[in-house]
Amino acid sequence: MSRRSGILEFAVLGLLRESPMHGYELRKRLNTSLGVFRAFSYGTLYPCLKMLVANGWLIEEPGNNPEDALAAPLAGRRAKIVYRLTAEGKEHFEDLLSQTGPDAYEDEHFAARFAFFGQTSRDVRMRVLEGRRSRLEERLEKMRASLARTRERLDDYTLELQRHGMESVEREVRWLNELIESERAGRDLKGSASGGSAQQNTNGAPGVLPRPGDTPGTDTPGDTTP
């Protein structure tokens, strides 16, 4: 399984743990609540759902909306299928939540993991946050070294872009420091880090997480880190 499909599997199981949904509603939640999935299509989502059903982690049920049931035969369409998490699926998702390997620190996977921090134990949250911070500090050190080597050869605009990228990483490191300090102090971030899967991002926009191209703590799109 590719890393990207693994992130989608994780997010689908996490959303369905909250409540059963049909495919359209699930894709909408992936796009709006978890910004990292805005580029996903039905052609990507439905094979994932079929795989999860085949593994016994989801079951398919007919939709219980009376309007859907009446409209589908008249329009020549099948009734909407609702996907529900099984007991095995819940157990599998909880196992995924407990994992804190290097993939959890990468840009897209970290955003998806952060979305479900409200369902994650404090010690796991700490390991993920500290791992993410270490990864970004390594990235920042490499960026500074690269800039020092190439500064004289860069034009003003390229140099400014490099500085912008460094500032973006520095801002996220500061954001992570604040989160880690709160976790160590035993404080929950109500409506943010620990309030549930549809989180408020650091720009203050509810339900949208940091994603590649956005920077926590700023209102400026197009930054180089989530």
Side-chain angles (χ1 to χ4, degrees), residues 112-165:
R113 288 298 301 269
F114 190 83
F116 298 99
F117 263 20
Q119 304 178 39
T120 306
S121 64
R122 191 181 300 276
D123 62 321
V124 172
R125 292 199 301 263
M126 280 291 295
R127 289 198 294 271
V128 173
L129 290 172
E130 290 175 339
R132 174 66 174 173
R133 181 176 63 180
S134 296
R135 181 63 52 85
L136 290 182
E137 287 173 342
E138 293 173 3
R139 184 184 300 176
L140 189 59
E141 183 178 349
K142 292 178 181 178
M143 293 173 73
R144 286 170 175 162
S146 175
L147 184 61
R149 289 194 306 269
T150 61
R151 182 188 300 272
E152 300 301 325
R153 301 196 299 270
L154 299 177
D155 62 70
D156 290 342
Y157 292 101
T158 304
L159 185 60
E160 190 61 30
L161 183 62
Q162 297 249 351
R163 288 172 176 162
H164 176 65

Side-chain angles (χ1 to χ4, degrees), residues 4 19-20 26 28-29 35 51 61 66 71-72 84 86 93 112 131 135-136 174 178-179 183 199 202 204 207:
R4 194 161 175 81
S19 64
L26 185 57
K28 184 177 179 181
R29 287 288 306 277
M51 182 272 292
E61 300 176 337
R84 182 185 298 273
T86 64
F93 178 68
R135 181 63 52 85
L136 290 182
R174 291 195 297 269
E178 293 173 359
L179 292 174
E183 292 288 345
Q199 305 293 342
T202 50

Side-chain angles (χ1 to χ4, degrees), residues 70-83:
L70 291 173
L74 294 175
R77 295 183 286 105
R78 293 192 307 166
K80 291 180 180 178
I81 294 174
V82 172
Y83 296 90

Side-chain angles (χ1 to χ4, degrees), residues 1-219:
M1 180 184 297
S2 70
R3 176 183 297 174
R4 194 161 175 81
S5 62
I7 300 172
L8 180 59
E9 171 192 321
F10 174 84
V12 166
L13 292 173
L15 289 175
L16 291 177
R17 187 185 184 186
E18 297 175 1
S19 64
M21 302 181 204
H22 54 71
Y24 174 80
E25 182 182 6
L26 185 57
R27 181 171 181 262
K28 184 177 179 181
R29 287 288 306 277
L30 287 168
N31 288 344
T32 58
S33 298
L34 304 175
V36 295
F37 296 104
R38 287 174 183 168
F40 274 82
S41 65
Y42 287 113
T44 304
L45 175 60
Y46 280 106
C48 176
L49 290 171
K50 294 298 182 184
M51 182 272 292
L52 296 175
V53 170
N55 287 341
W57 297 328
L58 300 181
I59 57 173
E60 296 177 331
E61 300 176 337
N64 56 7
N65 188 329
E67 294 181 1
D68 290 342
L70 291 173
L74 294 175
R77 295 183 286 105
R78 293 192 307 166
K80 291 180 180 178
I81 294 174
V82 172
Y83 296 90
R84 182 185 298 273
L85 196 66
T86 64
E88 293 80 4
K90 181 178 179 181
E91 182 179 347
H92 178 60
F93 178 68
E94 290 173 351
D95 179 61
L96 294 176
L97 274 182
S98 68
Q99 296 178 11
T100 58
D103 281 352
Y105 316 148
E106 299 298 334
D107 294 348
E108 290 185 342
H109 208 149
F110 173 74
R113 288 298 301 269
F114 190 83
F116 298 99
F117 263 20
Q119 304 178 39
T120 306
S121 64
R122 191 181 300 276
D123 62 321
V124 172
R125 292 199 301 263
M126 280 291 295
R127 289 198 294 271
V128 173
L129 290 172
E130 290 175 339
R132 174 66 174 173
R133 181 176 63 180
S134 296
R135 181 63 52 85
L136 290 182
E137 287 173 342
E138 293 173 3
R139 184 184 300 176
L140 189 59
E141 183 178 349
K142 292 178 181 178
M143 293 173 73
R144 286 170 175 162
S146 175
L147 184 61
R149 289 194 306 269
T150 61
R151 182 188 300 272
E152 300 301 325
R153 301 196 299 270
L154 299 177
D155 62 70
D156 290 342
Y157 292 101
T158 304
L159 185 60
E160 190 61 30
L161 183 62
Q162 297 249 351
R163 288 172 176 162
H164 176 65
M166 287 177 54
E167 290 171 359
S168 301
V169 178
E170 289 168 347
R171 280 192 293 270
E172 187 173 349
V173 169
R174 291 195 297 269
W175 175 66
L176 289 168
N177 286 337
E178 293 173 359
L179 292 174
I180 291 169
E181 182 181 350
S182 294
E183 292 288 345
R184 285 176 177 165
R187 297 192 300 268
D188 287 336
L189 306 182
K190 298 301 182 184
S192 180
S194 302
S197 65
Q199 305 293 342
Q200 178 178 0
N201 72 0
T202 50
N203 295 332
V208 182
L209 285 168
R211 58 191 172 86
D214 291 347
T215 302
T218 70
D219 296 320

